[in-house]
């Protein structure tokens, strides 16, 4: 289901933002993501995607979902594949790699016949998304930058992360866990409790212990050494 939702995300983004180039979109632990190259302009106006746009994309995904049933599979020749994705250099690069490996080029489609979304893919999808994926069981989480193929010499893309679970309850429980984890972030708690601070002069991620923090650290160090000594370690 998570991989299928990545396809649905790409379809929704394509409908909302014409000219966007979709690249790859795998399933991951607790959800999915898809990397995009968004156009600099849409309808003659400068465009930049932001996290404020995520609810709008979600809304389109949920609107599409009832019409997304099974995924149809088709094997293409190299010529057919290149023609299908002629306007997407990222897909063309993937097609070239598939050909070099001697593998089959396959595409998967879903959505109503009048408006199907087709993507280059190896497969592994929901049998019927409209039935298998509750509309309230997924949520778009955040944006991130990601270089194409993880290569910093290549194009910087926009990655959209989504959460997906089997039910709204499971999704809510996971979001609650994330919020609780934020409250326990040592980078927040340490300065708040006056245990340590950070300075750009020293370097990001390197704590400077305050007097109070030094006392706590020494107490913990002494306790550890007592345990080592007691056990002859």
């Amino acid at each position: 289901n998570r991989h299928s939702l990545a396809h649905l995300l790409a379809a929704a983004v394509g409908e909302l933002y014409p000219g966007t180039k979709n690249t790859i979109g795998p399933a991951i632990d607790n959800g999915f993501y898809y990397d995009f190259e968004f156009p600099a302009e849409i309808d003659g106006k400068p465009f930049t995607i932001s996290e404020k746009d995520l609810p709008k994309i979600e809304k389109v995904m949920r609107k599409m979902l009832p019409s997304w049933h099974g995924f149809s599979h088709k094997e293409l020749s190299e010529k057919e594949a290149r023609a299908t994705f002629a306007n997407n250099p990222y897909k063309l690069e993937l097609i070239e790699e598939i050909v070099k490996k001697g593998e089959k080029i396959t595409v998967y489609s879903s959505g109503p016949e009048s408006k199907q979304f087709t993507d280059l893919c190896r497969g592994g999808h929901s049998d019927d998304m409209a039935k298998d994926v509750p509309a309230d069981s997924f949520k778009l989480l955040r944006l991130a930058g990601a270089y194409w193929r993880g290569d910093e010499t290549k194009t910087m893309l926009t990655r959209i992360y989504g959460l997906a679970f089997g039910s709204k309850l499971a999704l809510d429980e996971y979001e609650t866990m994330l919020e609780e984890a934020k409250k326990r972030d040592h980078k927040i708690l340490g300065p708040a409790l006056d245990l340590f601070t950070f300075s750009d002069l020293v370097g990001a991620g390197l704590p400077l212990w305050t007097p109070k923090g030094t006392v706590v650290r020494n107490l913990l160090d002494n306790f550890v050494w007592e345990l080592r000594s007691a056990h002859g370690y």
Side-chain angles (χ1 to χ4, degrees):
N1 289 353
R2 287 170 174 163
H3 181 56
S4 300
L5 280 165
H7 281 246
L8 185 63
L9 167 59
V13 166
E15 179 168 309
L16 280 169
Y17 310 111
T20 300
K21 294 179 175 64
N22 56 309
T23 65
I24 54 174
I28 55 175
D29 289 344
N30 304 317
F32 56 94
Y33 72 76
Y34 213 117
D35 290 347
F36 301 95
E37 181 188 321
F38 286 93
E41 291 186 355
I42 293 180
D43 295 330
K45 298 179 182 178
F47 174 77
T48 303
I49 191 77
S50 75
E51 293 193 349
K52 292 180 180 179
D53 296 305
L54 296 183
K56 181 166 53 176
I57 300 171
E58 266 186 49
K59 185 176 180 180
V60 174
M61 289 175 70
R62 293 194 173 94
K63 183 179 178 181
M64 288 179 166
L65 182 59
S67 64
W68 276 49
H69 297 285
F71 281 80
S72 61
H73 157 270
K74 187 178 181 181
E75 187 176 324
L76 301 181
S77 67
E78 181 182 353
K79 183 178 180 180
E80 289 172 326
R82 288 186 176 280
T84 300
F85 299 100
N87 296 321
N88 190 324
Y90 304 101
K91 298 296 185 184
L92 293 177
E93 183 178 322
L94 294 173
I95 290 167
E96 186 174 345
E97 287 186 7
I98 294 170
V99 171
K100 285 182 178 179
K101 292 178 182 177
E103 299 175 350
K104 295 178 180 179
I105 303 173
T106 55
V107 295
Y108 283 79
S109 303
S110 194
E113 288 189 14
S114 60
K115 205 172 187 179
Q116 282 205 325
F117 173 77
T118 299
D119 204 359
L120 185 69
C121 186
R122 286 192 174 93
H125 299 104
S126 168
D127 291 333
D128 189 338
M129 283 189 70
K131 292 181 179 178
D132 298 340
V133 180
D136 57 2
S137 67
F138 65 88
K139 179 180 181 179
L140 298 183
L141 184 63
R142 62 187 175 90
L143 301 181
Y147 290 109
W148 169 237
R149 312 306 290 274
D151 185 340
E152 63 182 13
T153 66
K154 296 185 177 180
T155 306
M156 172 65 79
L157 304 170
T158 300
R159 178 170 295 178
I160 300 181
Y161 282 101
L163 296 174
F165 291 86
S167 66
K168 184 179 185 302
L169 177 61
L171 175 64
D172 289 344
E173 288 177 345
Y174 184 77
E175 288 194 279
T176 298
M177 184 273 291
L178 289 180
E179 289 301 317
E180 291 299 316
K182 286 180 183 178
K183 296 176 185 177
R184 291 161 176 76
D185 187 339
H186 70 279
K187 296 186 295 297
I188 297 173
L189 286 179
L193 295 172
D194 190 28
L195 300 179
F196 55 78
T197 186
F198 297 101
S199 169
D200 291 335
L201 296 175
V202 177
L206 299 174
L208 301 174
W209 298 95
T210 63
K212 184 188 293 185
T214 301
V215 170
V216 173
R217 179 177 178 176
N218 288 342
L219 286 170
L220 290 171
D221 280 345
N222 290 339
F223 175 63
V224 170
W225 282 111
E226 287 173 7
L227 291 176
R228 288 175 174 175
S229 178
H231 293 281
Y233 179 78

